[in-house]
Amino acid sequence: MAVDSSVSHAKALRFIEETTTNADSVQKRVLAEILNRNADTEYLNRFRLNGATDQDAFKSKVPVVTYEELEADIRRIANGDRSPIFSSHPISEFLTSSGTSGGERKLMPTIKEEMERRQLLYSLLMPIMNLYVPGLDKGKGLYFLFVKAETKTPGGLVARPVLTSYYKSDIFKTRPYDPFNDYTSPNEAILCANSFQSMYTQMLCGLLMRHRVLRVGAVFASGLLRAIHFLQLNWKQLAYDISTGTLSPKITDPCLRECITSKYLTNPNPELAEFISKECSTEEWEGIVTRIWPNTKYLDVIVTGAMAQYIPTLELYSGGLPMACTMYASSECYFGLNLNPMCKPSEVTYTIMPNMGYFEFLPHDTLSPPAHSHNSPPRLVNLADVEVGKVYELVITTYSGLNRYRVGDILQVTGFHNAAPQFRFVRRKNVLLSIDSDKTDEAELQTAINNAALLLREFNTSVLEYTTHADTKTIPGHYVIYLELLVKDTANRPPVETLNQCCVAMEESLNSVYRQCRVADNSIGPLEIRVVKNGTFEEVMDYAISRGASINQYKAPRCVNFTPILELLDSRVISAHFSLSKPQWTPERTR
């Protein structure tokens, strides 16, 4: 029996109000539930909690930890240990998170019921959205959603990204029809592991139903831009398929092919094909989203954090459509919602839902003791006690068994909704470069530079100085490394081939998330090295000092986003080099 959407939406909105009004009591209940159910786990027993479920005992005995401090136990689970190490419930799979500084994917243990908890947060999105954009049940959403490669640990547990886990779950695949969450893409297209075939058929279905599309989206802004670029490259074949009512032979997945030909591409439509050809054959792509899908009311994409760099390009292609950032989540835990989803990207704040886990906040402007210091743990602030304007690092305790775990997200409190705080995402801790789901920190970047420098030694050349930039003007975006070289023998300069190989060496040094984006997802372009004239970084220093930087404390920035400095660097480039081959990557290779 179909459920009246207005009733379910009203119920969802009441739940949000009740939960945020009683944020502190909900948090105490959540912590007590977690500690009670996991009381006999090996991890909590190490700290002699002795079954206590109150905040004071928990905070005084259980340490704040990083992934590296849990890694040995996580490896035990991955290798087949099924004893209750973190959770009293069996670990059902690992959710892979971004790479550590050593270049290895993080493995986040999870339990089956977490899928239902995540689904609960998803179920709250459309009731909120419908408050701001009525009529979303009168059409469809064109969302570009993809599964990514997965692998198995030595102990037989699946390890995969959180969204891949969700899309492959029965909760997603057998979800009941909901007019507010009606997609143009069939499950067969979303679940196709071949990224080209998946993108092609999702775009094809979106074009066939262009007048019914009310919202266009992807998980990240970079993903939506990649879809637009895909249309630029493939519109001729797409138009041909629509004109003839036949499907490109490049779509070889039998299940997907059967789905598209029997349900979507059933008749020739030369009129639609002619329209697509007319719109896409021009070099002017400004406003292409609303030209192709004229009823689109907003874009549904994440444009906070590193994704903010894509906002101007999305505005260009969409004709200035609003961009809705609806939720805040990670592999470790789903956190909260944007209760004002149609706000400007620069004003996005997320309300933490206190039922999703137990949340603490480490003040970011104070020096805390090491996370492993059990005798004097850092003084963390409860969810209800954070202060507006202050910046914190998020620390979580989850039903899956993470206890006082530092996520690495830096957040600033902007206000409260009822008793639940609202946060602006500031940045990922220590991350320098990011194009898509990749996250590269300074230590990893330095290792990559060192490996490239090894190739320059035979030419008696070394790296004097360097900085980086995530160039998102190209689609897909790519890393740019500015190098100032010391060439001691001008008659034996490093040749072009060697500098190209330096690009390859750097890419091989970066983590598996970066390499997967390059090889399997095609969401990052070839790394580029731009060699600059000698003295360039002195000019950068002079410019910084002229703007008030201290000459005694100045050090070259390892990542540059400030336009005047980028213009200065680019004006001093003497040669540019690209990685001419892709780095090595397989789902099984973690390093």
Side-chain angles (χ1 to χ4, degrees):
M1 179 183 295
V3 178
D4 187 335
S5 295
S6 61
V7 173
S8 61
H9 282 200
K11 183 178 179 181
L13 295 173
R14 284 198 302 272
F15 174 79
I16 293 172
E17 290 303 299
E18 291 169 2
T19 306
T20 55
T21 297
N22 302 299
D24 194 41
S25 61
V26 171
Q27 279 281 276
K28 290 176 181 176
R29 174 181 59 77
V30 166
L31 179 62
E33 287 177 356
I34 292 172
L35 296 180
N36 183 60
R37 65 152 54 178
N38 293 332
D40 294 327
T41 58
E42 178 184 324
Y43 187 81
L44 289 181
N45 281 333
R46 286 178 196 167
F47 308 110
R48 304 184 188 282
L49 206 56
N50 298 324
T53 60
D54 61 289
Q55 287 179 330
D56 290 341
F58 177 68
K59 286 172 176 276
S60 65
K61 294 184 177 182
V62 179
V64 177
V65 294
T66 62
Y67 181 80
E68 287 71 23
E69 291 166 289
L70 302 179
E71 191 168 11
D73 286 323
I74 289 172
R75 285 293 163 196
R76 286 171 55 197
I77 301 171
N79 290 333
D81 190 334
R82 296 294 179 261
S83 58
I85 298 173
F86 294 122
S87 171
S88 61
H89 288 217
I91 301 301
S92 57
E93 65 179 314
F94 285 106
L95 303 177
T96 55
S97 187
S98 56
T100 64
S101 59
E104 186 173 359
R105 278 187 181 275
K106 296 176 183 176
L107 297 175
M108 294 297 166
T110 190
I111 57 179
K112 281 187 177 180
E113 73 171 52
E114 274 303 298
M115 187 68 70
E116 296 177 2
R117 192 168 285 108
R118 294 196 290 269
Q119 178 59 25
L120 171 62
L121 202 64
Y122 283 125
S123 72
L124 303 176
L125 300 181
M126 289 310 293
I128 296 169
M129 204 73 220
N130 196 48
L131 293 173
Y132 294 87
V133 187
L136 291 176
D137 56 336
K138 303 298 189 291
K140 292 178 175 284
L142 170 53
Y143 285 84
F144 297 97
L145 308 175
F146 304 92
V147 296
K148 295 195 175 185
E150 61 184 52
T151 187
K152 283 194 174 182
T153 67
L157 288 175
V158 173
R160 56 192 176 186
V162 62
L163 288 176
T164 297
S165 173
Y166 176 62
Y167 299 147
K168 288 191 172 185
S169 71
D170 288 337
I171 286 179
F172 180 80
K173 290 191 291 186
T174 62
R175 63 196 183 279
Y177 173 75
D178 179 353
F180 283 91
N181 275 312
D182 191 6
Y183 300 151
T184 57
S185 298
N187 287 355
E188 290 85 350
I190 295 170
L191 295 172
C192 178
N194 182 288
S195 60
F196 174 87
Q197 294 184 48
S198 178
M199 177 75 86
Y200 190 93
T201 49
Q202 290 191 63
M203 182 65 75
L204 179 64
C205 292
L207 292 171
L208 289 168
M209 291 178 269
R210 75 182 196 93
H211 285 296
R212 300 185 66 188
V213 171
L214 299 183
R215 57 196 193 278
V216 176
V219 178
F220 294 116
S222 57
L224 184 51
L225 287 176
R226 201 161 68 251
I228 295 170
H229 186 57
F230 185 91
L231 181 60
Q232 285 181 306
L233 296 176
N234 295 281
W235 65 264
K236 288 183 180 179
Q237 182 63 52
L238 288 159
Y240 178 82
D241 288 4
I242 292 169
S243 176
T244 60
T246 60
L247 184 59
S248 167
K250 293 182 179 178
I251 308 306
T252 58
D253 183 300
C255 181
L256 178 56
R257 191 171 186 88
E258 166 63 22
C259 170
I260 299 300
T261 55
S262 65
K263 298 179 182 178
Y264 296 88
L265 199 61
T266 54
N267 295 297
N269 191 337
E271 183 179 350
L272 175 58
E274 183 179 354
F275 168 80
I276 293 167
S277 298
K278 179 182 177 183
E279 292 296 332
C280 296
S281 60
T282 175
E283 293 185 3
E284 181 52 68
W285 276 60
E286 184 174 353
I288 191 66
V289 172
T290 47
R291 282 158 43 197
I292 298 289
W293 298 282
N295 298 316
T296 307
K297 298 184 178 184
Y298 66 93
L299 304 181
D300 191 344
V301 285
I302 294 173
V303 289
T304 51
M307 292 297 114
Q309 60 194 329
Y310 297 106
I311 292 172
T313 310
L314 279 178
E315 288 177 335
L316 176 73
Y317 284 135
S318 72
L321 283 174
M323 300 176 201
C325 296
T326 56
M327 66 185 292
Y328 170 37
S330 75
S331 300
E332 296 90 340
C333 182
Y334 279 23
F335 305 119
L337 306 161
N338 180 3
L339 298 181
N340 183 19
M342 300 302 282
C343 67
K344 295 179 181 178
S346 60
E347 299 172 356
V348 170
T349 60
Y350 299 104
T351 302
I352 299 293
M353 290 298 291
N355 61 302
M356 297 303 295
Y358 181 68
F359 305 110
E360 298 176 89
F361 299 87
L362 178 64
H364 191 58
D365 54 354
T366 61
L367 294 175
S368 61
H372 59 269
S373 177
H374 299 172
N375 295 326
S376 54
R379 295 180 61 84
L380 271 62
V381 179
N382 293 334
L383 178 70
D385 298 329
V386 295
E387 297 180 43
V388 174
K390 290 197 173 181
V391 177
Y392 301 90
E393 180 182 348
L394 178 60
V395 177
I396 63 171
T397 297
T398 70
Y399 285 90
S400 295
L402 292 177
N403 291 278
R404 310 198 84 190
Y405 176 81
R406 297 175 71 161
V407 175
D409 287 359
I410 308 301
L411 310 174
Q412 183 178 35
V413 186
T414 60
F416 283 80
H417 178 79
N418 298 323
Q422 298 178 305
F423 294 89
R424 178 177 70 87
F425 182 91
V426 177
R427 60 181 172 84
R428 282 285 298 174
K429 187 178 180 181
N430 300 328
V431 171
L432 282 182
L433 292 168
S434 180
I435 294 290
D436 190 57
S437 56
D438 55 302
K439 298 176 180 69
T440 299
D441 64 21
E442 186 167 348
E444 191 175 5
L445 179 63
Q446 184 64 57
T447 298
I449 290 288
N450 293 344
N451 289 338
L454 292 175
L455 299 176
L456 302 174
R457 283 186 180 179
E458 67 173 286
F459 301 96
N460 207 10
T461 296
S462 59
V463 176
L464 268 181
E465 195 55 271
Y466 71 91
T467 192
T468 63
H469 175 62
D471 187 345
T472 57
K473 293 178 182 177
T474 61
I475 301 176
H478 69 290
Y479 287 10
V480 175
I481 316 297
Y482 293 93
L483 293 184
E484 184 173 327
L485 303 177
L486 176 60
V487 182
K488 296 179 182 177
D489 181 1
T490 55
N492 188 33
R493 289 180 177 274
V496 170
E497 294 78 9
T498 298
L499 288 164
N500 290 340
Q501 279 301 118
C502 286
C503 297
V504 176
M506 290 194 70
E507 289 200 304
E508 287 287 358
S509 305
L510 298 176
N511 64 49
S512 62
V513 180
Y514 174 91
R515 288 182 280 110
Q516 178 177 342
C517 288
R518 274 281 283 129
V519 177
D521 304 336
N522 296 309
S523 58
I524 298 179
L527 182 143
E528 178 184 5
I529 286 176
R530 296 178 187 173
V531 180
V532 298
K533 295 178 180 178
N534 287 105
T536 296
F537 279 86
E538 285 189 18
E539 293 183 59
V540 171
M541 181 180 69
D542 291 342
Y543 180 82
I545 291 171
S546 73
R547 290 177 54 84
S550 167
I551 191 169
N552 294 318
Q553 296 179 320
Y554 176 84
K555 63 177 182 178
R558 290 303 176 226
C559 183
V560 173
N561 293 304
F562 188 47
T563 300
I565 292 182
L566 284 171
E567 291 175 345
L568 190 160
L569 288 166
D570 283 329
S571 70
R572 303 296 189 269
V573 172
I574 56 178
S575 64
H577 311 270
F578 288 88
S579 184
L580 300 181
S581 61
K582 291 186 176 182
Q584 296 296 311
W585 178 84
T586 63
E588 291 74 27
R589 180 186 171 190
T590 57
R591 291 186 182 272

